[in-house]
Amino acid sequence: MTSVINVNLPQQSYEIAIALGNLDQLGQKMAGLQLGKKVLVVSNPTIFKHYGERAIASLESAGFVVSSYCLPAGERYKTLNSIQKLYDIALENRLERSSTMVALGGGVIGDMTGFAAATWLRGINVVQVPTTLLAMVDSAIGGKTGVNHPHGKNLIGAFHQPRLVLIDPEVLKTLPMREFRAGMAEVIKYGVNWDAELFAQMEASKHLNQLRYIKPELIDYILTRSCQAKAEVVSKDEKEAGLRAILNYGHTIGHAVESLTGYRLLTHGEGVAIGMVAAGQIAVELGMWQKEDSDRQDALIEKAGLPTKLPEGVDIEAIIEALQLDKKVKAGKVRFVLPTQIGVVTVTDEVPSDTIRQVLQRMQG
C-alpha cells in the first residue's frame, strides 16, 4: 500500500506519505525538501527504543547531522517545562533557522515538537513521523501544536504546518492495544463528521478493537480516508476560521473530562469517545439527529472497545464549568459540533446548560 495525499495551503503545501517501510525512507524523503543539514529527533523512551535507530540511520545516510532527545511519555508531561528542555537541546546543538525537528512518536510528542519548532528562532522546520493510529489520522496533520495548561488542554499553542508527514503503518504492530483503540475514536469521528462511507465500512467490520483482528485492507482504507478527510478540511480552513471546527467533534466535553481527571485516567481517544456519545445525545435531545443514528454511533464506539459512560466520580457541574475554558468559546457561549446525519455535522452555540446536564446525568457510570 502506498498513498500520497496533498495538503494544499497558500503558504506551504506538503505531502502525507503513507507506505509500509516508510520509516527507512525518512532521510531520502527529507533530502528532497531542501532542508538544512541539522536535525533534532524528538521522541519518548519507548518509541525511541523501537524506532529511533532506524530513523537516525535513514537520516544520516541521506547526509543529515542528527541529534536526538527523549521526553517522558504521557499527556501529563505536555507542559511548558518539557518545551524548555527542547529549547535547551536546540541551543546545545546550535539548531538554525534552516534546521528541522523530527517528531517521532504519538500525539503528545508531535504537539510538543511542533510547538518547539514553531517558537524556536521564531519558527524552524518540523517533520511529523507519527507512530500511533491517533497521530497518523489526526494530530500529525494540520499544524496544530501546543501544550496543556493545568486548567485546560492545548490552551498554549500555535499553528505551524509540517514540511512532511511520513506514515509507516508497520509501526502500529508495537502499539499497545489501548492506544490503538484511542486512535479508532478519531477514525469514528471522521465517519460521523465527514465520511459516511468510512462509517459504513467500519460498521461492516466484525472487529475494531484490536489491530490483529482487522483486515489489512481495512487498515489501509482507514488511514487513507481519514488522512484525506483531515487534508481536505485543513486545505479549506487552515486556521479554524469556520469549517475546521468540525474536526472538534466529541472534543468539547472530551477535553473537559480529560482535564478534570488530570490527564491520567483517560487517553485522549477515550475522552473523545465519551464526548461523541454526549454530543450525539445532545443532538437527539435538540431534535437535530435521529436516535437510531446516535445508537449506531455508540455501537461503533463500543465495538472499538471505547467507553460510552463518564468515569466514576467526575462532577457534572465541574464539567459544565470547565466547558467555559474551552478554546472554542465565543462571547461566553460554548460552541458544540453536533451531527445532523452520519457524515454531516453542524456547529452551534445554542445548547442549553440543562440539556448538557441531562445528557451527562444519563451517562454517569
Side-chain angles (χ1 to χ4, degrees), residues 334-352:
V334 181
R335 289 193 298 160
F336 275 90
V337 182
L338 299 178
T340 54
Q341 61 189 71
I342 286 171
V344 183
V345 291
T346 188
V347 182
T348 178
D349 60 9
E350 299 297 326
V351 180

Side-chain angles (χ1 to χ4, degrees), residues 4-306:
V4 176
I5 297 157
N6 291 305
V7 182
N8 299 310
L9 298 171
Q11 297 284 309
Q12 186 176 284
S13 297
Y14 56 94
E15 286 184 352
I16 306 164
I18 310 171
L20 286 169
N22 242 354
L23 190 58
D24 299 314
Q25 305 302 313
L26 175 61
Q28 190 184 327
K29 290 188 183 298
M30 281 176 58
L33 297 173
Q34 298 176 321
L35 306 171
K37 288 293 177 199
K38 289 184 181 178
V39 172
L40 171 62
V41 175
V42 182
S43 193
N44 71 39
T46 309
I47 297 299
F48 195 81
K49 188 174 139 191
H50 285 303
Y51 303 114
E53 280 183 18
R54 275 175 66 190
I56 289 170
S58 176
L59 289 163
E60 288 180 341
S61 70
F64 290 102
V65 178
V66 188
S67 50
S68 62
Y69 187 74
C70 286
L71 289 165
E75 186 84 30
R76 65 183 179 275
Y77 296 106
K78 194 174 159 186
T79 63
L80 286 172
N81 283 343
S82 294
I83 298 297
Q84 180 65 51
K85 285 173 187 166
L86 292 185
Y87 293 152
D88 292 344
I89 297 298
L91 185 64
E92 199 179 299
N93 289 281
R94 300 288 186 267
L95 260 57
E96 302 158 0
R97 282 200 168 156
S98 63
S99 301
T100 306
M101 290 189 187
V102 172
L104 177 67
V108 171
I109 289 295
D111 282 6
M112 287 199 286
T113 308
F115 184 58
T119 47
W120 183 251
L121 304 179
R122 297 197 178 94
I124 66 171
N125 303 310
V126 66
V127 167
Q128 294 281 355
V129 185
T131 59
T132 65
L133 179 60
L134 190 147
M136 287 177 183
V137 300
D138 189 62
S139 60
I141 305 161
K144 275 190 177 180
T145 73
V147 294
N148 299 330
H149 184 279
H151 294 294
K153 194 173 165 78
N154 294 332
L155 290 178
I156 305 154
F159 284 98
H160 189 58
Q161 297 293 347
R163 297 296 305 275
L164 168 72
V165 179
L166 183 128
I167 295 173
D168 185 345
E170 216 175 312
V171 306
L172 291 175
K173 288 176 183 169
T174 55
L175 188 64
M177 204 185 303
R178 189 179 181 191
E179 291 297 332
F180 179 78
R181 291 170 179 169
M184 287 304 301
E186 295 286 357
V187 178
I188 293 167
K189 174 191 82 174
Y190 290 123
V192 178
N193 74 359
W194 191 256
D195 191 340
E197 180 56 34
L198 174 61
F199 189 96
Q201 290 287 342
M202 288 191 290
E203 222 171 16
S205 176
K206 195 172 177 185
H207 299 283
L208 283 180
N209 64 341
Q210 289 187 52
L211 178 66
R212 61 183 170 159
Y213 294 140
I214 303 173
K215 291 177 181 171
E217 307 86 71
L218 181 59
I219 291 294
D220 293 351
Y221 184 83
I222 279 171
L223 287 172
T224 304
R225 291 292 281 236
S226 300
C227 289
Q228 280 171 340
K230 183 81 183 256
E232 282 176 39
V233 173
V234 170
S235 296
K236 289 175 179 168
D237 179 18
E238 183 183 358
K239 297 195 175 169
E240 210 171 296
L243 176 69
R244 188 167 175 172
I246 72 165
L247 297 176
N248 294 313
Y249 178 58
H251 286 58
T252 307
I253 283 172
H255 278 172
V257 175
E258 277 184 272
S259 176
L260 289 169
T261 53
Y263 308 110
R264 288 167 186 265
L265 190 62
L266 298 169
T267 63
H268 174 60
E270 288 163 354
V272 170
I274 291 165
M276 288 193 289
V277 172
Q281 291 189 20
I282 288 168
V284 171
E285 288 294 326
L286 297 178
M288 297 167 67
W289 206 27
Q290 298 295 320
K291 184 177 185 304
E292 177 195 333
D293 286 340
S294 176
D295 290 346
R296 283 173 67 197
Q297 171 196 258
D298 296 357
L300 206 54
I301 288 168
E302 284 183 348
K303 193 199 285 188
L306 290 159

